[in-house]
């Protein structure tokens, strides 16, 4: 792999043609990954919109079906050969638990307070914890990348500021937000650790993680609905379509993120991913749902784009200035 931040390769005109081609490919992969995860958020929302059953069960049913289909897609791609290392099995099991905790926290938080605060908790978790973990890995973030992460966190607040006006009287709401923060942060961090340690077991990790999470979701639904749990799986044709689309873009995005993390590191990868999800989500809201782009959201988008530029080009620009 090419080290994009090596001292002798950081200036583009000192990079060989082969290394430049690899660098360009990595950034193309980063762009495709970001679009995939933004579409995943959109398709999963559309699944919930067309869910015909108990709305409180929508996220649980989605987790079960999404986990099962995603696992099957990845298992088919390996020819149903899931021979893997014990550590991959352990990380997959822990991440499956994190997915369930994340969904549980999100469902509970959304029913007790501001969904925007819950969203920011998730985004903060996916950045702060992995960036902290990256200091113990080979790809340590640079000063300008740390500053860019800070700018991105501020952008998250601006993009979700309107939802902060919704007040909550439930003290448990903040406990659920903490669960969201920790579960998403641990999940993203373990993806990073695995991608650096077991680069040839990406597909196995995804398949096992989502298969276990699907089983957990079904058990959760049985516990919640009892013998009537099977009725919740009677979904509409549109829900099936959006579920399948979610699984496809999610699989592509996960495969790419596991390949990008060892090259670009946690700070760049997760910051750009989160920024794309928020910016594209806002764009879809304006285009498809005719929502107005408020000045506060505009500031958030500008800050997110500045952060992305700092993360992807900041070190190169500084090197050119100091050259």
């Amino acid at each position: 792999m090419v080290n994009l931040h090596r001292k002798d390769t950081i200036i583009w005109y000192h990079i060989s043609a082969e290394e430049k081609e690899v660098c360009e490919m990595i950034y193309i992969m980063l762009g495709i990954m970001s679009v995939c995860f933004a579409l995943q958020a959109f398709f999963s929302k559309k699944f919930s919109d067309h869910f015909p059953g108990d709305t409180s069960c929508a996220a649980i049913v989605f987790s079960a079906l999404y986990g099962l289909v995603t696992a099957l897609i990845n298992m088919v791609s390996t020819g149903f050969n899931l021979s893997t290392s014990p550590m991959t099995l352990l990380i997959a099991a822990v991440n499956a638990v994190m997915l369930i905790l994340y969904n549980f926290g999100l469902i509970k938080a959304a029913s007790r307070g501001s969904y925007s605060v819950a969203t920011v908790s998730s985004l903060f978790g996916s950045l702060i914890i992995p960036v902290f973990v990256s200091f113990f890995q080979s790809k340590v973030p640079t000063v300008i990348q740390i500053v860019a992460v800070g700018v991105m966190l501020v952008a998250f607040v601006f993009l979700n500021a309107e939802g902060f006006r919704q007040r909550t009287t439930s003290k448990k709401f903040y406990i659920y937000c903490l669960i969201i923060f920790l579960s998403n942060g641990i999940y993203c961090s373990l993806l990073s650790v695995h991608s650096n340690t077991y680069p040839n077991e990406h597909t196995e990790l995804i398949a096992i993680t989502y298969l276990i999470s699907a089983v957990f979701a079904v058990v959760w639904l049985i516990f919640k609905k009892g013998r009537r749990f099977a009725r919740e799986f009677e979904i509409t044709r549109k829900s099936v379509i959006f579920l399948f689309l979610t699984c496809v873009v999610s699989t592509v995005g996960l495969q790419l993120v596991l390949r990008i993390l060892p090259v670009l590191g946690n700070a760049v990868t997760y910051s750009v991913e989160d920024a794309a999800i928020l910016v594209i989500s806002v764009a879809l809201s304006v285009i498809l749902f005719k929502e107005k782009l408020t000045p506060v959201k505009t500031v958030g988008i500008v800050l997110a784009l500045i952060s992305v530029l700092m993360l992807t080009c900041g070190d190169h620009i500084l090197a050119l200035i100091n050259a």
Side-chain angles (χ1 to χ4, degrees):
M1 289 285 188
V2 177
N3 184 344
L4 299 186
H5 300 290
R6 235 171 48 208
K7 203 169 183 179
D8 59 335
T9 61
I10 197 168
I11 302 178
W12 279 97
Y13 53 79
H14 286 165
I15 298 179
S16 67
E18 183 180 352
E19 287 183 321
K20 184 179 291 187
E21 185 177 343
V22 173
C23 291
E24 290 172 350
M25 181 57 65
I26 289 295
Y27 282 114
I28 290 172
M29 290 169 62
L30 184 64
I32 296 172
M33 177 206 73
S34 301
V35 172
C36 282
F37 284 130
L39 289 174
Q40 177 189 348
F42 174 71
F43 290 145
S44 61
K45 181 182 181 302
K46 296 301 290 182
F47 171 89
S48 297
D49 291 342
H50 293 281
F51 184 73
D54 183 353
T55 54
S56 67
C57 294
I60 308 174
V61 172
F62 176 80
S63 297
L65 295 175
Y66 168 58
L68 179 61
V69 176
T70 302
L72 284 174
I73 291 173
N74 285 276
M75 288 168 70
V76 168
S77 69
T78 64
F80 291 90
N81 179 20
L82 292 179
S83 56
T84 185
S85 63
M87 187 54 67
T88 294
L89 287 172
L90 177 61
I91 291 176
V94 174
N95 262 357
V97 174
M98 291 303 109
L99 283 173
I100 294 298
L101 285 175
Y102 176 81
N103 287 325
F104 170 77
L106 201 59
I107 292 169
K108 292 295 185 180
S111 66
R112 285 169 169 77
S114 169
Y115 187 79
S116 293
V117 175
T119 300
V120 170
S121 300
S122 171
L123 295 170
F124 272 40
S126 68
L127 270 185
I128 294 174
I129 296 177
V131 169
F132 175 77
V133 170
S134 66
F135 283 99
F136 302 94
Q137 297 177 310
S138 58
K139 185 63 66 176
V140 177
T142 62
V143 173
I144 196 166
Q145 288 174 353
I146 295 172
V147 173
V149 169
V151 174
M152 186 67 72
L153 295 176
V154 175
F156 292 163
V157 174
F158 272 89
L159 284 167
N160 292 276
E162 293 177 6
F164 290 175
R165 296 172 185 173
Q166 179 184 344
R167 296 183 179 181
T168 177
T169 56
S170 173
K171 294 180 181 179
K172 289 183 178 179
F173 171 76
Y174 299 103
I175 296 175
Y176 295 133
C177 286
L178 180 61
I179 291 173
I180 295 169
F181 172 84
L182 292 174
S183 59
N184 201 30
I186 293 171
Y187 175 85
C188 292
S189 299
L190 287 177
L191 282 183
S192 172
V193 170
H194 186 273
S195 67
N196 282 277
T197 311
Y198 301 96
N200 297 320
E201 298 183 8
H202 296 156
T203 303
E204 291 81 358
L205 176 73
I206 297 170
I208 296 169
T209 297
Y210 282 87
L211 185 60
I212 296 173
S213 70
V215 173
F216 283 165
V218 171
V219 172
W220 184 3
L221 190 61
I222 293 173
F223 180 78
K224 181 178 177 65
K225 302 296 289 188
R227 295 179 180 179
R228 296 175 298 168
F229 81 95
R231 296 180 184 176
E232 299 301 328
F233 289 99
E234 297 173 359
I235 58 178
T236 64
R237 184 179 299 177
K238 286 186 177 180
S239 291
V240 172
I241 293 171
F242 286 120
L243 172 71
F244 180 74
L245 290 173
T246 303
C247 294
V248 171
V249 295
S250 172
T251 296
V252 174
L254 284 168
Q255 289 285 354
L256 290 175
V257 75
L258 287 167
R259 286 163 172 76
I260 293 169
L261 279 168
V263 182
L264 295 183
N266 298 353
V268 175
T269 305
Y270 287 129
S271 293
V272 174
E273 174 194 326
D274 290 342
I277 291 173
L278 282 173
V279 172
I280 293 176
S281 295
V282 171
L284 288 173
S285 297
V286 172
I287 296 170
L288 299 180
F289 306 118
K290 308 302 179 183
E291 293 183 6
K292 292 184 179 180
L293 185 60
T294 63
V296 175
K297 283 189 176 180
T298 303
V299 171
I301 291 173
V302 171
L303 288 173
L305 293 175
I306 290 173
S307 176
V308 170
L309 288 173
M310 291 173 67
L311 287 162
T312 55
C313 308
D315 289 321
H316 299 299
I317 293 172
L318 284 179
L320 289 170
I321 293 173
N322 296 326

